[in-house]
Amino acid sequence: MYSHMSTSPHSTNLSCAFMEKNLFLSILLAFLVHFLTLPFVRGQVTDIFTDKQALLALKARISHDPSNLLASNWSASSSVCHWKGITCGARHLRVIALNISHLGLTATLPPQLGNLCFLARLDITNNNFYGSLPEEYAQLRRLKYLFLNNNSLSGELPASIFDNLPNLQLLYLHLNMFEGKIPSTLSKCRSLQNLSLSVNNFTGAIPKEIGNLTHLRAIYLGGNKLQGEIPKELGNLAKLVVLLVPNSYLTGTIPREIENLTLIKYLILYSNKLIGAIPKEIGNLTQLRVIYLEVNRLQGEIPPEIGNLHNIELLDLGYNHLVGPVPATIFNISTMHTLSLYENQLSGILPSIAELPNLEGLYLWGNNFSGPFPDFITNASKLFIIDIANNSFSGFIPSTIEFKSSNVKRKSTE
């Protein structure tokens, strides 16, 4: 009776092959399911709990909290959306802002903050954060405002951080100790409006790729160790209002492409090593209010086109190698309150006809001016200081004005 239940070798082989095939298919299917669903699994674990863990990682790194704010308020047992300095979005109930500025905190930045994938604002201004900027912050694709200024952060800026921050609008890293070159990858932050890297230890040239950031309104790069020329590509920044790069080692000439910056109001490039003539194209920048080009090596004559700048309030060309007469048009800018042309090789007689009703300070010392001191100062009712030492002026200055000169005499008020 067992003969009907016996299995032939052929049928046994078929059964084993079938089982092996099913086992293989099962393993393959399990692998495919795991592989294909991995992104979704990762997406599921990135929730408010992930946000809390990231912030607790930050709290764990704080070695000094003078106000005891985070120690007492950031509790693992309470909702992260109720913590001080935290803002959650109404739609997704995820952390969208972290603002712990001006608390005197001492800490390093944890890489886990890169997991705050809904974060739009990160502000740690005016604390004592130190150490490097984690590369993981490249994951903050929704970030619009990054304020790390007034801390002690150091090291090079990882170029990869700026690869995936298309929404970044304000980047404030000034008053830290960052070093190395300014990454050219900043050009990928196409929404950037304000770039502030002043007072760090950045070296190298200003990357020409910054010229691709056509939404930029302000550039602050002063107080670094930057070298090289001002890239002509900055002329692409038609919305630029502020260009501030003083106290560096910039060389070369002021590019003529500057004429495209028709909205610029503040051009501040003092204490560099700029050479060549002041381009006449500067006269096209009719919105300019402040020009600081002092302490450079600029040469040639002052272009008369500067007289087209009818909104200028402060013009400082001191400590250069400028020569020739001062264009009469400069003395007709009614908005001018400070005119500084000291320590050049300017010469000639100053024009006697001018309208400078708002002039408060006139600094002409250390030139080769001659002739009578012009009578236009009688129309400058706000003028209170004149420094014309080391020239060859003659004439009188009203006694109501403070002045320095070895030749010009004080006019009596009697």
Side-chain angles (χ1 to χ4, degrees):
M1 66 177 177
Y2 295 104
S3 61
H4 298 287
M5 299 180 62
S6 62
T7 304
S8 67
H10 179 68
S11 63
T12 300
N13 290 339
L14 286 175
S15 177
C16 290
F18 180 75
M19 293 176 62
E20 289 175 359
K21 184 177 181 180
N22 280 349
L23 179 61
F24 173 76
L25 290 173
S26 297
I27 294 173
L28 178 62
L29 180 62
F31 173 78
L32 289 173
V33 168
H34 173 74
F35 179 78
L36 293 173
T37 59
L38 187 58
F40 299 100
V41 171
R42 286 179 177 173
Q44 290 172 1
V45 299
T46 307
D47 54 15
I48 191 63
F49 178 76
T50 306
D51 293 354
K52 175 179 280 191
Q53 293 302 111
L55 294 170
L56 288 176
L58 172 60
K59 178 183 177 182
R61 290 192 173 214
I62 295 175
S63 59
H64 183 57
D65 179 5
S67 64
N68 205 38
L69 179 65
L70 272 59
S72 60
N73 184 261
W74 285 23
S75 171
S77 61
S78 61
S79 170
V80 66
C81 296
H82 295 156
W83 293 358
K84 294 289 181 62
I86 304 300
T87 303
C88 290
R91 181 179 178 185
H92 298 286
L93 293 179
R94 298 292 301 275
V95 174
I96 61 172
L98 167 60
N99 184 353
I100 50 173
S101 60
H102 304 279
L103 294 178
L105 303 172
T106 300
T108 57
L109 289 169
Q112 289 91 334
L113 291 185
N115 294 330
L116 300 174
C117 60
F118 280 80
L119 194 68
R121 181 188 182 100
L122 173 57
D123 189 349
I124 63 168
T125 298
N126 197 24
N127 283 289
N128 296 305
F129 281 89
Y130 62 95
S132 60
L133 187 61
E135 294 184 10
E136 288 79 1
Y137 293 7
Q139 301 167 193
L140 304 174
R141 290 185 56 84
R142 290 180 170 87
L143 198 63
K144 293 182 179 180
Y145 312 112
L146 181 57
F147 302 128
L148 308 181
N149 48 293
N150 295 67
N151 282 283
S152 300
L153 297 168
S154 59
E156 296 188 7
L157 292 181
S160 60
I161 281 186
F162 304 107
D163 281 334
N164 297 298
L165 301 180
N167 300 302
L168 191 63
Q169 296 178 21
L170 306 181
L171 177 61
Y172 291 170
L173 304 182
H174 54 274
L175 289 168
N176 278 287
M177 296 185 291
F178 289 115
E179 59 188 28
K181 294 183 178 181
I182 298 174
S184 61
T185 50
L186 270 172
S187 62
K188 297 183 179 181
C189 302
R190 295 301 179 92
S191 300
L192 199 61
Q193 297 178 17
N194 285 15
L195 172 63
S196 182
L197 306 180
S198 297
V199 194
N200 279 282
N201 296 311
F202 289 113
T203 56
I206 300 173
K208 63 181 181 180
E209 289 83 359
I210 286 182
N212 297 329
L213 300 174
T214 54
H215 292 286
L216 269 178
R217 294 177 52 82
I219 298 177
Y220 303 93
L221 302 178
N224 284 288
K225 300 175 182 178
L226 298 173
Q227 298 175 326
E229 299 185 358
I230 300 172
K232 63 181 181 180
E233 287 79 6
L234 291 187
N236 299 333
L237 307 179
K239 296 181 180 180
L240 198 65
V241 176
V242 178
L243 177 58
L244 195 155
V245 196
N247 293 318
S248 287
Y249 300 90
L250 297 178
T251 57
T253 61
I254 300 173
R256 297 185 182 280
E257 288 78 5
I258 197 174
E259 67 178 332
N260 299 322
L261 309 181
T262 55
L263 297 181
I264 194 167
K265 294 182 178 180
Y266 302 91
L267 179 62
I268 301 175
L269 300 172
Y270 65 83
S271 296
N272 280 287
K273 298 180 179 180
L274 299 173
I275 62 172
I278 299 172
K280 64 179 182 179
E281 288 81 1
I282 201 170
N284 296 333
L285 310 182
T286 56
Q287 298 300 311
L288 270 171
R289 297 175 61 183
V290 173
I291 299 178
Y292 265 118
L293 298 178
E294 64 171 328
V295 194
N296 277 286
R297 300 172 182 176
L298 298 171
Q299 303 164 329
E301 297 187 357
I302 299 173
E305 288 81 1
I306 283 186
N308 299 334
L309 306 180
H310 300 300
N311 291 300
I312 280 290
E313 298 174 6
L314 187 153
L315 175 60
D316 193 336
L317 305 179
Y319 274 117
N320 280 286
H321 305 299
L322 301 172
V323 299
V326 179
T329 53
I330 288 182
F331 294 94
N332 288 304
I333 302 176
S334 62
T335 55
M336 185 95 70
H337 67 69
T338 303
L339 176 59
S340 298
L341 304 176
Y342 54 89
E343 281 294 332
N344 282 283
Q345 287 97 48
L346 298 168
S347 60
I349 300 174
L350 294 183
S352 60
I353 301 174
E355 292 293 334
L356 298 173
N358 294 300
L359 191 66
E360 298 175 359
L362 179 62
Y363 305 90
L364 304 177
W365 55 273
N367 282 285
N368 299 312
F369 293 119
S370 60
F373 195 79
D375 58 5
F376 70 77
I377 60 172
T378 58
N379 297 325
S381 59
K382 297 181 180 180
L383 186 64
F384 68 91
I385 183 168
I386 296 177
D387 193 338
I388 56 175
N390 299 321
N391 283 283
S392 299
F393 286 118
S394 61
F396 295 92
I397 292 178
S399 59
T400 55
I401 298 175
E402 177 185 346
F403 81 103
K404 297 179 180 179
S405 174
S406 57
N407 298 319
V408 178
K409 299 179 180 179
R410 176 75 71 189
K411 179 184 287 186
S412 174
T413 57
E414 296 179 357

